Amino acid sequence: MKQSFFVITIILGLAFSVRCSYDYSKNDFPEGFVFGSAVSAFQWEGAVDEDGRKPSIWDTYLESSNGHELIKDIDCDGYHKYKEDVRLMYDMGLDAFRLSISWPRLIPSGRGHVNPKGLRFYKNLLDELKKYGIEPHVTLHHNDLPQALEDEYGGWIDRKIIDDFTAFADVCFREFGNAVKHWSTINEPNMLASGGYDLGVMPPKHCSPPFGVVNCSRGNSSTEPYIALHNMLLAHASTARLYKQKYKYKQNGSVGITCFAYWMVPFTSSQEDKIATQRAKDFYLGWVLHPLVFGDYPDVMKKIVGKRLPSFWEDESDLVKDSFDFLGVIHYTTFYIKHLSNSVQGDYNLDVDAALLPIGNSTMVSFDVLPWGLEGVLEYIKQNYGNPPVYILENGQPTNHNSELNDMGRVEYLHAYIGSVLKSVRNGSDTRGYFQWSFMDLFEFLNYNYTYGLYYVNFTDPERKRSPKTSALWYSAFLKGTIRVHKNLSVSSSPGIFSQ
């Protein structure tokens, strides 16, 4: 790529104004604060049936949805193009890159035999990142459970998964731990449990009438979300203990877990909506964070869910409590919360007894710029959970994949949300890094017509050509300190700015 692409003074007075009130530069962040971008294995690698990889529950989910060829049509082919992509990261100026290890590529049957070609791919990728001075932040499980374990015993709803996940993590720590200092165990377990085991909109597509929003062939929406997340917490804690006992003193790394974190505010000033908002925070955030910090679920969950909510034995509570070195926050948008007055409980969503209402013009595929919501999440964690080290591991704005490269809406979003992180840090939050989602257009799980990438990927091109969007130019200039972001920042859309 020509050097001219990255000499981006982001010309003032031209084209498109970004409406934000933040005035900052990268140098305003504390020393050691990392900026990165992110992908996940299933969404980026492609090569779903190459070199010994076996299916994950996502492959099966797509096949059941008459889309089994879809991932072959919409993938970045990162498995073959990783060197090119790492070079783009370096040219952009990333400090760090978040990726995940595909469990069915590394250990195709879920346990036992390690696939040498999968092992070599990840070692090569990590070596390439090291070559360019980019720090890897690695997620062990990003929603792609081996289908073999789902078929054998139901995956996350059986306690056998705890030992199998810990064994998978052991292989990763042993083989990659000298190169990786930041490990996240499980990606957004709260979203995975509710989407995959209550509503059925995510794999493994478990749900039961009348609660699921799709037709599921198996599942129990009343109990399985709670069982699945309980086992995820125990698997995380088992893995964290393994790392501490066997690897930490040699590798000097850290282990955390992520939490999907909407921010939530009352729809009205009524007492009912205020109580419902706190209840929703306990169900969405406290479901994961309370056990990690206090060793048990929030009282309101135990009261409402009753015997359907698994209990921690004393030794399990001790295992889960304080089992993280950092917390990964995944945040995209903010909702109003309205009390629903459900007369019965039955599944996770009825138990919450609150409606999530969009703010402004936000939809599932388009988010209004509400940076105060991220500030709210970070302040809530600081005030209620002991201000642990935090990394923002996903934050970004979707746009239609076929929209123009001039994605000024995404620039405005990133500008505002990075500014909100700086405000939170200045207010005492121990936030240590920010990762934009996503580095390039990916196969997006819930709506593949909308993508989050800084780089456009031409999925109809056999070479999967990458082209920088305006957001890539902006983020690169910010990372390199060649701009100071302020209220009237504008970005040139002059001809040739995307030339390669």
Side-chain angles (χ1 to χ4, degrees), residues 32-260:
F33 191 98
V34 298
F35 284 96
S37 190
V39 300
S40 80
F42 186 78
Q43 296 170 276
W44 173 67
E45 290 176 5
V48 294
D49 52 7
E50 291 186 37
D51 290 346
R53 180 191 181 275
K54 288 188 177 180
S56 74
I57 57 175
W58 265 107
D59 298 89
T60 304
Y61 177 80
L62 291 173
E63 186 172 359
S64 71
S65 304
N66 298 317
H68 61 283
E69 293 297 318
L70 188 59
I71 189 59
K72 297 180 182 180
D73 295 332
I74 304 179
D75 73 71
C76 304
D77 197 23
Y79 188 73
H80 298 108
K81 297 175 73 69
Y82 70 93
K83 289 187 177 181
E84 174 185 336
D85 290 346
V86 173
R87 177 68 198 201
L88 292 177
M89 298 172 205
Y90 171 76
D91 289 342
M92 178 173 282
L94 294 185
D95 301 320
F97 178 60
R98 183 191 179 213
L99 64 142
S100 69
I101 304 293
S102 169
W103 191 347
R105 191 181 297 283
L106 186 65
I107 306 178
S109 297
R111 70 165 73 90
H113 170 70
V114 176
N115 176 16
K117 292 184 178 179
L119 182 66
R120 176 47 52 194
F121 167 70
Y122 290 112
K123 287 193 172 183
N124 287 343
L125 173 57
L126 292 169
D127 285 346
E128 198 72 10
L129 291 167
K130 181 180 179 180
K131 174 182 173 182
Y132 286 98
I134 300 169
E135 179 182 43
H137 284 236
V138 175
T139 301
L140 291 169
H141 177 66
H142 198 118
N143 307 3
D144 54 352
L145 182 77
Q147 183 62 40
L149 300 185
E150 175 69 19
D151 292 340
E152 181 182 341
Y153 55 73
W156 289 111
I157 59 172
D158 194 293
R159 290 177 67 96
K160 294 186 182 75
I161 194 70
I162 299 169
D163 289 339
D164 284 339
F165 181 78
T166 305
F168 162 60
D170 196 5
V171 172
C172 293
F173 295 152
R174 183 185 71 230
E175 298 293 342
F176 313 129
N178 290 331
V180 179
K181 304 306 177 189
H182 296 84
W183 296 95
S184 297
T185 53
I186 299 170
N187 186 66
E188 54 190 40
N190 48 348
M191 184 60 70
L192 180 57
S194 61
Y197 295 88
D198 180 6
L199 301 177
V201 296
M202 295 172 61
K205 199 177 179 181
H206 286 207
C207 64
S208 60
F211 307 114
V213 299
V214 297
N215 292 322
C216 299
S217 60
R218 55 182 170 172
N220 185 328
S221 295
S222 295
T223 60
E224 285 192 1
Y226 301 112
I227 294 169
L229 188 132
H230 193 76
N231 289 334
M232 291 179 209
L233 288 173
L234 292 173
H236 156 78
S238 172
T239 297
R241 178 177 60 183
L242 168 74
Y243 187 81
K244 183 176 181 180
Q245 292 177 345
K246 191 174 179 180
Y247 295 101
K248 191 176 183 69
Y249 76 96
K250 294 185 294 185
Q251 298 177 355
N252 196 32
S254 58
V255 174
I257 190 171
T258 74
C259 183
F260 192 92

